Structure formats: structure tokens, C-alpha cells
Amino acid sequence: MVNVLIVDDEQTERDGLELILTRHFDNLVIRQARNGRLAIEMTAQQKPDLVFMDIQMPGISGLEAIKQLHSLHSSVKFILVTAFATFEYAQQALSLGVQAYIVKPSKIAEIVKTVEGVLHQIKMEQQHTEESKKDQDTLEKAMAVFETDVVTQLLFDHVHEVHLNQLVDLLDIPMADETFVMSLLLPPDAAEMYPAVKEVVRKTGSGWTGASNGRQVPIIVFRNGKNSFRHQAITLANKILTLRDSRKTAWFIGIGNVYGPTGKIKQSYQESLLATRNFQQPVHYQFYTDLPALTLDLSSPSYKTYEQTFYEHLRHQQWDPLIAEIKTITEGLERKNKPAIQAQKQLAELLWLISSILSDMGIPVELPVYPSQTAGYKQLREETANMLERMKYAQEDHSQQADGDSIEQIKHYIIDHAHEDLSLEIISKEAGLSPIYVSKLFKEKLGINYISFLTECRLEKAKKLMRDPEKSMKEISIEIGYHDPNYFSKVFKKAFHTSPTDYRKKTFSL
């Protein structure tokens, strides 16, 4: 559809031109203006694509009207209509970017031919604009997907350097020298709020939002240097918390410490998770540094030992030795005459560690929180056993739902759809599993991350397509799922230590 405005102080001239246009062209929306001032007002409101402008009109002349309109609406095309075919008018019209010139009176065939040329130009520009918009929409969707993948790679040690750097380059927000992590806990009935949370973070331009993992949403935040760490974190937390229903208090945000190298992001993530364990507070956020003194130091060898031991037990679903270990720890605290309240605090941290490992494995679990301060070791043992039993049941239930052939199903899905814009989030939805769990499956079953497997599939297909000498490298790049040929070349060279072009010459040349 093309919007057309006819500007002439003579009604008969306007009607005559509109009749010609209506008879010879489809998909035109035609309006009329009797002078230059009205044309300026109508253009501002209706944004025509093409304006037929008479030169000699009372008040604002046609050339002056074009000058004003062109400065305000540069995309509008103009056809000058006049009875005065002088060089001076033609020169001024060209300087204003007028597309064509019709001298009154003109033959209908001449008018139609002139209009056809301008309408073709408008059509080409509209198609280009639509394609650009589609590309932009696709890029924005892809960047949203890239964002969750980057967070997953950074927080869960599934980093593939080439792809991580490329994904970071594609995102609007560059990595900062210092980062920290915020973990948002959502109530079970607030999962639909995830897109809104992601949009809030995006609008602040301060970080990346990871994939929702059960009730928990990780957010990597970049230090801006303009405000203090606490001010920046509280400001973002409050913006996120405005999304919640004020009658529901289950939203809570844990905030980890600031670290420099990206390798320390996981440390901040663990701290942010620990900061969410006391989520029943009037203020709905908690800094890790503001927690009461912890019995476990995240960077201590003892914590790392617990983490590794618990992970091995949980990975193999060995709950009996894990429960026995917690029981031994409890008995040891009792033998040392530790007050039951102090023992409860240490056990709470260990239970929280177990729940966070399960969450990282993609298993949704209830938050392990003691209902009240314990009255003694008997009560403490019972409540601890109940929470461990619930976490055990959650893993068993998850394992029953996750078919043992999941990794094979996922592999086949990736092979069949490798040419598409696949992401961890898309793959996990197809498999009915969490992104973190899918990522863990690849690392444990295949020893690689899903991006490496996807890349292998794409590159193998690329090598087959190179056999066809008629296909350009750009066509091959797009056909295997890479929209950027330069990135395809970079990935190919990383894998085979030669460029795609050189590989093709060496392998398929006669």
C-alpha cells in the first residue's frame, strides 16, 4: 500500500490527477490538499510515501513546502507538477531531491510512465525496509537467546571460548571488567513473569538474564562505575521487585559480591544463592556480605570438599551415603556439645548446598528452610531428615520423567535442525528438560557442551556442501545456520586450522 498526497490549489487539477492514478494503479491511498500549509500538516499526520506538488500556489509555494517537508520527512518522494517548465524551477527541484517533473498539461501516458518509475522506487525501498525490519527482529530474538546461553556458559563452567566471544560480540551490552550475580527467586505461580524480568534488566542496560531454572533466575550484572556497588544492586533489585504483586511476598533476590575476572562469576553466583536462603524478610533482597557469619567459607578447601562429595553422590543418585554423611556431621556437632541452634545453622548451609547442586542439575527442589529455631537435637534430626527426603524424592521424580535416552533424542534433534538458530533454551524446551540439565547431560555423557556438538554438525554439513562448485561460501554459511560468513570462517578455521576457501581448494580442486 502506497500513501499519496496531491497538492494543488485547483480542485479540477487535483481530481483529474486522482482519476488518472485510480484508473492505472492499484494499492494507492490518495488524499488531497489545496495548499502548501495544509500539505505540511497532513504530511505530519498521515506520512505519505509520494507527494504530487504544484509550484504556483497562494501562500506557501510548492518549492517552499517541499523544502520544509523534505527536512522533516526525508523518505517522502516528490513529483513536481507545474505549467512553468523553466530551467530555474528544474534546478531548484533537483536541489530539493524531487524525483520527477510533470509539466501541465501532459499526456496521460507520460504521467503514468513517470509515476510508474517513482512507485517502483518506493516499492523497492519498502521491501528493503521490511527485510531490514525482519532481520532486526530476527537479530533481537537471536540476541535474547544468545544472552541466556552466555549466562549458562559463564555460570556453569560450560565455556567454549570461540562461541562465547562471538555471542558476547553480538549482544548490545559489552562485558565489564567487574561483575556480580543476582539470583531472583520467583514463587511457583509467577513463572510467566520471567519475560518481564528479562525486559527490566535489558532496559537498564546493565546485565544479562539467564534461563529460568525452576524458581530461580540468575542475572549477571556489570558494574557501571558511576554508583557504588550497593546502590547499583539495590536500584536494579527494586526495579525487578516492582513487577511482583504486592500481596505476594515470595519474590526474593540474593546478591553476590563483585569480582573481576569472568572466572570468578561462579563464585558470585554461589554467594547470591546463599543470600536467598533467608528469603522470609520484610526487605526482599539480601547481600551475601550482610548474612550472619557463615559456618562455611565458599572459598575454603572444606567447602570445596563438601561440594565435590555431594555432587558425586547426587550425580549417581547415591542418597544413602549422602544422608549418612549429614547424619555423621550432626552427631559430631552434638558430641562437641555445640548448641543446637548453631548446629541448625551449619546444617542449613549444607542443605542449601545440596539444593543448589540439584538446581544446577536442572532439578526443581523446595527451598530447604527450617520452620523455626530448633528446640534440640532430636527435633533437628527429624526436620533435617524430612528435608533430605523431599529433595531425594524430587530427584527421583525428575529422573523418572527424564528418559534415559534423552541425550540421544537431543542429539538427533540437533542434527535435524542444525541449520536453524538453535539455542540451549530451544533444545531444552523440545526435550522437556531444563537448560542446565541439558548442558550437564552433554558434559557428562559426551564430554563436550552442546555448542561444540552443534558446531560439529554444521561444519560436517558445510564440508559436504563445498562439493558443489556452484555454491558460494556465503550460501553455504547461511545454509548451515551461520548468518555471518566471517564468523563461519572463524569457526571453521578454529576447527580445521585452515580457512573454508583453502580447504575447498585443497580437497575438491581437480
Side-chain angles (χ1 to χ4, degrees):
M1 193 65 67
V2 176
N3 292 318
V4 176
L5 179 62
I6 300 173
V7 187
D8 198 305
D9 60 329
E10 295 288 341
Q11 179 73 48
T12 54
E13 296 287 347
R14 298 197 302 270
D15 291 344
L17 182 54
E18 180 170 348
L19 183 61
I20 294 172
L21 295 176
T22 303
R23 286 181 175 177
H24 291 83
F25 300 99
D26 298 322
N27 300 320
L28 298 184
V29 177
I30 303 173
R31 297 180 179 87
Q32 297 183 11
R34 63 179 179 274
N35 56 52
R37 179 187 58 76
L38 189 56
I40 294 170
E41 293 176 1
M42 292 178 67
T43 299
Q45 295 173 358
Q46 296 161 359
K47 297 180 174 53
D49 302 297
L50 172 60
V51 175
F52 290 86
M53 184 72 73
D54 186 25
I55 292 182
Q56 294 292 343
M57 293 183 294
I60 300 176
S61 71
L63 291 174
E64 179 59 33
I66 290 175
K67 186 176 180 181
Q68 291 188 39
L69 291 174
H70 186 71
S71 64
L72 297 173
H73 311 282
S74 59
S75 63
V76 177
K77 301 292 183 289
F78 295 95
I79 295 178
L80 208 58
V81 182
T82 181
F84 303 95
T86 66
F87 174 75
E88 180 184 355
Y89 284 139
Q91 191 177 38
Q92 289 185 58
L94 288 172
S95 69
L96 293 172
V98 171
Q99 273 64 41
Y101 201 104
I102 295 176
V103 179
K104 296 189 289 188
S106 290
K107 294 180 180 179
I108 293 177
E110 293 176 354
I111 295 174
V112 170
K113 184 178 180 180
T114 300
V115 174
E116 279 179 342
V118 178
L119 288 178
H120 177 73
Q121 184 180 354
I122 291 172
K123 182 180 179 181
M124 292 298 101
E125 291 183 5
Q126 285 180 339
Q127 288 179 349
H128 178 72
T129 301
E130 288 175 6
E131 290 172 2
S132 298
K133 188 176 183 301
K134 287 180 182 178
D135 289 343
Q136 183 62 31
D137 290 343
T138 301
L139 181 59
E140 287 179 2
K141 290 178 182 177
M143 286 198 299
V145 169
F146 295 156
E147 183 178 325
T148 58
D149 281 8
V150 167
V151 174
T152 299
Q153 290 189 55
L154 289 172
L155 295 186
F156 301 100
D157 294 331
H158 306 156
V159 178
H160 187 294
E161 183 181 353
V162 173
H163 299 287
L164 178 62
N165 292 339
Q166 176 68 9
L167 295 178
V168 169
D169 289 343
L170 286 171
L171 296 173
D172 288 335
I173 309 169
M175 290 275 309
D177 293 332
E178 293 186 323
T179 58
F180 62 95
V181 178
M182 299 171 66
S183 287
L184 168 64
L185 287 184
L186 292 171
D189 60 348
E192 73 278 1
M193 295 303 296
Y194 171 75
V197 171
K198 196 166 185 175
E199 181 65 12
V200 166
V201 177
R202 188 193 67 78
K203 283 185 176 179
T204 64
S206 59
W208 298 328
T209 306
S212 178
N213 185 22
R215 286 183 55 189
Q216 184 257 329
V217 179
I219 303 167
I220 295 178
V221 187
F222 306 125
R223 285 287 292 119
N224 58 26
K226 297 177 182 177
N227 306 110
S228 69
F229 156 54
R230 294 184 72 89
H231 182 274
Q232 181 184 359
I234 291 171
T235 300
L236 180 56
N238 284 331
K239 286 181 179 178
I240 293 171
L241 291 170
T242 58
L243 298 173
R244 70 186 178 91
D245 186 332
S246 59
R247 294 167 296 178
K248 298 178 182 179
T249 60
W251 289 52
F252 195 84
I253 298 173
I255 305 168
N257 283 323
V258 177
Y259 291 96
T262 56
K264 287 284 189 178
I265 290 180
K266 187 171 176 64
Q267 173 92 358
S268 185
Y269 172 61
Q270 290 175 326
E271 292 172 351
S272 70
L273 286 178
L274 273 174
T276 61
R277 67 189 181 91
N278 297 324
F279 62 91
Q280 294 174 330
Q281 301 182 43
V283 178
H284 296 281
Y285 56 82
Q286 172 80 60
F287 286 87
Y288 173 75
T289 51
D290 293 344
L291 289 173
L294 297 173
T295 60
L296 294 173
D297 178 0
L298 290 180
S299 59
S300 68
S302 60
Y303 181 86
K304 296 298 181 185
T305 300
Y306 280 131
E307 186 177 34
Q308 184 61 35
T309 302
F310 291 168
Y311 175 71
E312 287 302 318
H313 286 326
L314 294 171
R315 186 164 71 93
H316 299 290
Q317 290 189 244
Q318 298 171 340
W319 278 93
D320 288 343
L322 191 152
I323 291 172
E325 187 153 356
I326 297 295
K327 183 179 179 181
T328 301
I329 293 170
T330 308
E331 291 172 349
L333 293 170
E334 187 172 15
R335 281 196 303 271
K336 293 177 182 178
N337 294 318
K338 288 279 187 181
I341 292 177
Q342 288 187 21
Q344 183 186 48
K345 180 180 178 183
Q346 181 165 341
L347 290 172
E349 292 170 14
L350 292 174
L351 291 175
W352 197 260
L353 173 59
I354 294 170
S355 72
S356 68
I357 293 171
L358 288 171
S359 293
D360 285 358
M361 293 171 67
I363 302 169
V365 292
E366 292 181 22
L367 300 174
V369 178
Y370 288 100
S372 61
Q373 285 193 348
T374 186
Y377 272 90
K378 181 180 179 182
Q379 178 187 347
L380 181 59
R381 279 192 288 268
E382 290 176 355
E383 291 176 350
T384 302
N386 287 335
M387 283 190 278
L388 285 169
E389 192 65 28
R390 287 198 295 270
M391 287 191 280
K392 175 185 176 182
Y393 175 78
Q395 186 179 32
E396 290 174 347
D397 184 57
H398 183 272
S399 297
Q400 289 175 3
Q401 295 179 25
D403 188 347
D405 294 330
S406 290
I407 191 65
E408 291 302 318
Q409 294 173 5
I410 294 169
K411 282 171 59 179
H412 286 301
Y413 179 79
I414 292 175
I415 292 169
D416 292 341
H417 298 81
H419 59 286
E420 300 174 7
D421 288 326
L422 283 185
S423 72
L424 186 60
E425 201 165 13
I426 292 171
I427 296 167
S428 61
K429 284 181 180 178
E430 182 66 26
L433 302 169
S434 78
I436 307 305
Y437 188 74
V438 170
S439 189
K440 288 275 186 182
L441 275 178
F442 268 93
K443 292 291 284 185
E444 291 176 5
K445 303 293 185 182
L446 303 179
I448 58 174
N449 60 32
Y450 87 96
I451 293 183
S452 297
F453 183 76
L454 172 61
T455 300
E456 288 177 9
C457 295
R458 287 175 168 175
L459 295 184
E460 286 304 312
K461 184 176 181 180
K463 289 194 291 186
K464 292 177 181 178
L465 293 174
M466 286 179 192
R467 300 174 189 272
D468 183 354
E470 299 299 319
K471 283 189 179 292
S472 69
M473 284 302 175
K474 183 177 181 180
E475 289 174 322
I476 292 172
S477 172
I478 293 172
E479 197 166 331
I480 66 171
Y482 291 124
H483 300 291
D484 182 356
N486 292 328
Y487 179 48
F488 162 56
S489 179
K490 185 177 180 180
V491 173
F492 192 96
K493 194 169 185 178
K494 178 76 174 179
F496 302 113
H497 308 291
T498 185
S499 70
T501 303
D502 289 342
Y503 177 87
R504 186 183 219 174
K505 289 178 181 177
K506 294 175 183 177
T507 308
F508 302 115
S509 58
L510 297 177

